[in-house]
Amino acid sequence: MTKEVTIILSEWVHEALIALDGRAHYIDIAKMIWKNHGKEIQEAGDLLFTWQYDYRWAGTYLRDEGIMSPANVSEKGIWELKPE
């Protein structure tokens, strides 16, 4: 996965979390990404086959950037924006 794809998917994850009140199960985040960006994913070549793996790495990126709470702070499967 390129840095560019990581950034785009990170933006989509962040956008989904905002729409889901800052906290959601990772499956609900995937549903929101598909709802809002499915057409783009389908038209992006191999991303159609890798996006569900890649968006999880985007979640790790957001944690490393301090945007999402660390995995050990949240309930299992829950992703949440870090309080500001």
Side-chain angles (χ1 to χ4, degrees), residues 3-18:
K3 181 75 169 175
E4 179 181 327
V5 170
T6 300
I7 297 299
I8 291 167
L9 289 171
S10 297
E11 290 170 359
W12 293 354
V13 169
H14 191 239
E15 171 186 279
L17 279 167
I18 290 169

Side-chain angles (χ1 to χ4, degrees), residues 7-82:
I7 297 299
I8 291 167
L9 289 171
S10 297
E11 290 170 359
W12 293 354
V13 169
H14 191 239
E15 171 186 279
L17 279 167
I18 290 169
L20 295 165
D21 297 323
R23 184 176 192 276
H25 193 276
Y26 67 87
I27 292 174
D28 294 320
I29 295 167
K31 289 177 184 177
M32 182 70 68
I33 291 171
W34 184 254
K35 178 182 170 188
N36 293 330
H37 301 285
K39 185 168 178 65
E40 293 166 79
I41 292 168
Q42 289 177 328
E43 295 172 351
D46 289 344
L47 187 61
L48 175 61
F49 305 102
T50 64
W51 80 272
Q52 288 191 14
Y53 174 79
D54 296 337
Y55 96 92
R56 291 180 187 215
W57 279 109
T60 299
Y61 173 81
L62 290 173
R63 285 187 177 106
D64 291 346
E65 293 295 310
I67 296 168
M68 276 177 41
S69 296
N72 63 350
V73 172
S74 305
E75 296 172 48
K76 184 175 178 146
I78 301 297
W79 291 11
E80 55 192 336
L81 296 174
K82 205 170 182 183

